[in-house]
């Protein structure tokens, strides 16, 4: 996961002047175009947990179970994680393809279309209750993403709590927000996770470092 995030700049155009705008745009889109696919591919189970928590957080923030600006990226994220999970856990190509054909339409149908057509919004809450609920849901979602493969439990926990504080700050003491505000909460949390995740996964030791470590253990 760390390698995938760090390799993102290598995919950006090079050059001094003409490439600045594309680089800036790609850097801004890194949480959506890099973080979510990488997590879905390498950690599908935590990705599905995080997608469910963030989906619920956006729903309570906006007052709608299906808010397109925030929920469409999460729908694609959940579909990618589900496909990766089926590919890694289900033996046999025919059965795997069948399950993908059956299960992959579930997030867009159940998550996006059905709530807009038939379901009311989530239960109402006042400003403080909604703020705490949105912050807690995004903190748990960030924890699901940050704890994946990391052994630095203390910093990961603190980073997850900060992500929840970011979400609560955007929601702060307000009722249901518009769909783009929900997308802003989602983006702020994912941007923080993108920035902090490489730091939580230390660089792999080089051969010389491993030899020195082995000698130190022998001594």
């Amino acid at each position: 996961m760390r390698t995938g995030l760090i390799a993102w700049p290598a995919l950006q155009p090079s050059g001094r002047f003409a490439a600045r705008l594309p680089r800036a745009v790609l850097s801004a889109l890194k949480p959506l175009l890099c973080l979510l696919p990488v997590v879905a591919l390498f950690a599908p189970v935590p990705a599905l947990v995080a997608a469910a928590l963030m989906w619920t957080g956006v729903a309570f923030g906006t007052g709608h179970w299906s808010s397109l600006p925030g929920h469409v990226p999460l729908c694609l994220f959940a579909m990618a994680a589900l496909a990766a999970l089926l590919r890694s856990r289900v033996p046999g190509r025919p059965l795997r393809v069948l399950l993908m054909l059956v299960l992959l339409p579930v997030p867009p149908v159940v998550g996006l279309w059905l709530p807009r057509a038939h379901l009311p919004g989530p239960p109402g809450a006042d400003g403080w209750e909604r703020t705490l609920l949105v912050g807690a849901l995004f903190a748990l979602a960030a924890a699901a993403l940050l704890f994946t493969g990391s052994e630095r439990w203390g910093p990961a926990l603190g980073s997850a709590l900060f992500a929840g504080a970011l979400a609560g700050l955007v929601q702060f003491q307000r009722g249901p927000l518009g769909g783009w505000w929900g997308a802003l909460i989602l983006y702020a949390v994912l941007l923080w996770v993108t920035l902090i995740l490489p730091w939580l996964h230390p660089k792999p030791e080089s051969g010389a470092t491993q030899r020195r470590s082995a000698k130190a253990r022998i001594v």
Side-chain angles (χ1 to χ4, degrees):
M1 287 177 58
R2 180 182 185 277
T3 303
L5 293 175
I6 293 179
W8 179 253
L11 303 177
Q12 299 181 14
S14 59
R16 290 188 176 182
F17 299 104
R20 285 183 178 178
L21 180 59
R23 281 202 302 265
V25 172
L26 289 174
S27 297
L29 294 176
K30 183 178 179 180
L32 300 175
L33 298 183
C34 182
L35 174 68
L36 295 185
V38 166
V39 175
L41 178 62
F42 292 104
V45 173
L48 288 173
V49 173
L53 290 167
M54 289 188 290
W55 193 296
T56 309
V58 172
F60 274 95
T62 60
H64 298 282
W65 287 114
S66 178
S67 175
L68 296 184
H71 283 140
V72 167
L74 290 175
C75 180
L76 297 175
F77 178 42
M79 292 174 67
L82 185 58
L85 180 63
L86 292 175
R87 184 176 181 181
S88 62
R89 300 292 177 87
V90 178
R93 183 176 180 181
L95 178 59
R96 187 164 58 241
V97 172
L98 177 62
L99 288 176
M100 285 187 179
L101 292 175
V102 172
L103 295 178
L104 288 184
V106 170
V109 172
V110 176
L112 293 179
W113 176 77
L114 192 61
R116 297 181 71 86
H118 302 287
L119 293 180
D126 63 21
W128 276 113
E129 290 177 351
R130 193 180 299 271
T131 298
L132 293 175
L133 185 58
V134 170
L137 287 167
F138 274 98
L140 291 173
L145 298 175
L146 292 170
F147 278 77
T148 303
S150 175
E151 297 179 354
R152 306 178 68 178
W153 304 112
L157 178 59
S159 300
L161 292 175
F162 185 79
L166 283 176
L169 183 63
V170 178
Q171 185 71 42
F172 191 67
Q173 281 192 301
R174 291 187 289 176
L177 305 175
W180 289 106
W181 281 102
L184 177 61
I185 295 175
L186 174 66
Y187 179 80
V189 171
L190 292 179
L191 179 62
W192 170 248
V193 172
T194 302
L195 293 175
I196 204 66
L197 191 57
W199 177 71
L200 291 175
H201 292 263
K203 295 181 180 180
E205 292 183 348
S206 63
T209 305
Q210 291 177 352
R211 287 192 294 270
R212 288 196 297 269
S213 302
K215 289 180 180 179
R217 286 194 295 269
I218 293 174
V219 174

